[in-house]
Amino acid sequence: PGDATRPLDDVLPLKNHLVAYGREGGIPRVWVAKFGEGGDGQTIERLERLEFEEEAYDVGGGGNLEFDVEDFLVSYDSLVTPPKTFKVNLDDVGSRQCLKERTVPGYSPSKYACKRDVVKSRDGKTDIPVSIVWNKEMKKGEGEPQHLHLYGYGSYGAVNQAPELFKAAIFGVPFVDVMSTMVDATIPLTVVEWEEWGNPNAEKYMKYMSEYSPVNNVKKGAKYPACLMTGGLHDPRVQYWEPAKMVAEVRHQAGEGSGPICLKLDMAAGHFSASDRYKYYRELAVDWAFILENVGLA
């Protein structure tokens, strides 16, 4: 059964088996259940979970369109393994065949390592999963600090709480002006999120949300890292004024020794940046150039 520690997202019913997709321990998982004799689907004879060698990965269903089959398809990738498609035997999930694997020119997965760790939140109450990937040839001494590129989805604490930890930060289409957006019911996604976040048109929620809304909590006089904030003029989810207001606020409040606070606004893009492949590559190049320049690796 699915529960808070093992939520189920989807199921694939087959003639003699049921394939379930969900998460456990924060990792995407796939389970295969074999029906008992008679195949009526009322009893489970065996339940197996697909296991993989890597600690952190993504796995999901492939194009499974047939009902009476002995195998099914799964898609798999990780921070060091390019996407691949496996055919898995339903009666022996350890028996699998790689049907297709993306070839990445010039890339060798064997040069990289990946591990998954857990750290406590600052209040000590929540376990936060962290996946770490590195080049095996990286030279480091005992206790010697290394450059680290940290990626996190979400923008409610990353830099305001401890700006001194970072040399450079990129805010990609950042949802940082929480109050202005969440009081406006005409903006897509706003009303449906009131149930989860609270409606700031009510005083008690407005007070709570204003305590973590980034643009309302910039530290006056703090030393901020170099910041690049991006936005798209036609973004319906994170309106272009959010990064613009955040840039203005950080420039106004940041103390001596702070890095450059930059705004890059694409006048033709929406929430997901450029759809043109080469324009997207150029935008990535700008991001990496900004990081490398400001950590002294250019």
Side-chain angles (χ1 to χ4, degrees):
D3 55 34
T5 62
R6 184 172 61 183
L8 300 179
D9 300 324
D10 199 6
V11 293
L12 172 66
L14 302 170
K15 183 178 180 180
N16 298 311
H17 301 80
L18 184 76
V19 181
Y21 304 97
R23 283 182 179 267
E24 191 170 33
I27 295 286
R29 308 287 189 183
V30 179
W31 295 269
V32 176
K34 179 176 174 56
F35 297 139
E37 292 297 326
D40 58 4
Q42 301 301 310
T43 58
I44 299 296
E45 179 180 293
R46 186 177 69 252
L47 178 67
E48 295 180 277
R49 191 179 79 181
L50 271 66
E51 302 293 348
F52 301 92
E53 293 182 359
E54 296 178 293
E55 295 182 20
Y57 57 83
D58 188 22
V59 64
N64 298 288
L65 304 179
E66 299 293 331
F67 179 69
D68 187 1
V69 292
E70 297 179 351
D71 308 282
F72 75 108
L73 302 180
V74 296
S75 57
Y76 177 93
D77 68 276
S78 76
L79 289 169
V80 297
T81 301
K84 59 176 64 177
T85 300
F86 288 108
K87 180 170 72 172
V88 179
N89 188 293
L90 286 163
D91 287 320
D92 180 10
V93 297
S95 175
R96 58 193 71 166
Q97 176 187 359
C98 182
L99 301 179
K100 186 177 182 180
E101 183 174 5
R102 179 182 295 176
T103 300
V104 181
Y107 172 69
S108 175
S110 63
K111 292 183 178 180
Y112 298 88
C114 177
K115 66 173 293 187
R116 187 174 185 269
D117 213 338
V118 175
V119 298
K120 285 289 185 182
S121 59
R122 292 185 179 180
D123 60 11
K125 297 180 180 179
T126 305
D127 287 334
I128 302 174
V130 178
S131 298
I132 307 170
V133 61
W134 68 95
N135 189 319
K136 294 178 180 178
E137 298 176 354
M138 181 178 69
K139 294 180 174 59
K140 60 179 181 179
E142 185 67 29
E144 181 182 345
Q146 298 292 318
H147 292 291
L148 172 71
H149 179 221
L150 174 67
Y151 174 82
Y153 182 81
S155 55
Y156 314 116
V159 176
N160 273 346
Q161 290 182 349
E164 71 281 355
L165 291 181
F166 308 99
K167 289 286 289 183
I170 293 182
F171 298 58
V173 289
F175 181 28
V176 287
D177 189 16
V178 178
M179 306 307 297
S180 297
T181 294
M182 293 300 290
V183 298
D184 188 349
T186 67
I187 297 176
L189 303 183
T190 293
V191 174
V192 295
E193 290 181 344
W194 281 346
E195 182 178 356
E196 179 180 356
W197 296 31
N199 181 352
N201 290 296
E203 183 178 1
K204 66 175 182 178
Y205 294 117
M206 183 172 187
K207 182 178 185 301
Y208 166 72
M209 295 167 73
S210 65
E211 292 176 351
Y212 68 82
S213 175
V215 77
N216 302 106
N217 288 277
V218 176
K219 286 186 176 179
K220 184 176 181 61
K223 183 180 177 181
Y224 273 77
C227 296
L228 174 62
M229 306 191 197
T230 67
L233 183 64
H234 305 289
D235 188 341
R237 301 188 184 192
V238 177
Q239 306 290 333
Y240 67 88
W241 61 75
E242 296 212 26
K245 289 173 70 173
M246 188 69 178
V247 163
E249 186 67 16
V250 176
R251 286 176 177 173
H252 179 63
Q253 301 286 6
E256 186 177 350
S258 296
I261 311 299
C262 306
L263 174 67
K264 179 175 176 288
L265 192 63
D266 192 319
M267 306 303 284
H271 188 64
F272 295 103
S273 186
S275 58
D276 178 282
R277 177 171 49 152
Y278 296 104
K279 183 177 179 182
Y280 174 67
Y281 288 159
R282 288 193 293 270
E283 290 188 353
L284 283 181
V286 170
D287 289 350
W288 284 111
F290 182 84
I291 293 173
L292 295 173
E293 174 72 24
N294 285 287
V295 298
L297 294 176

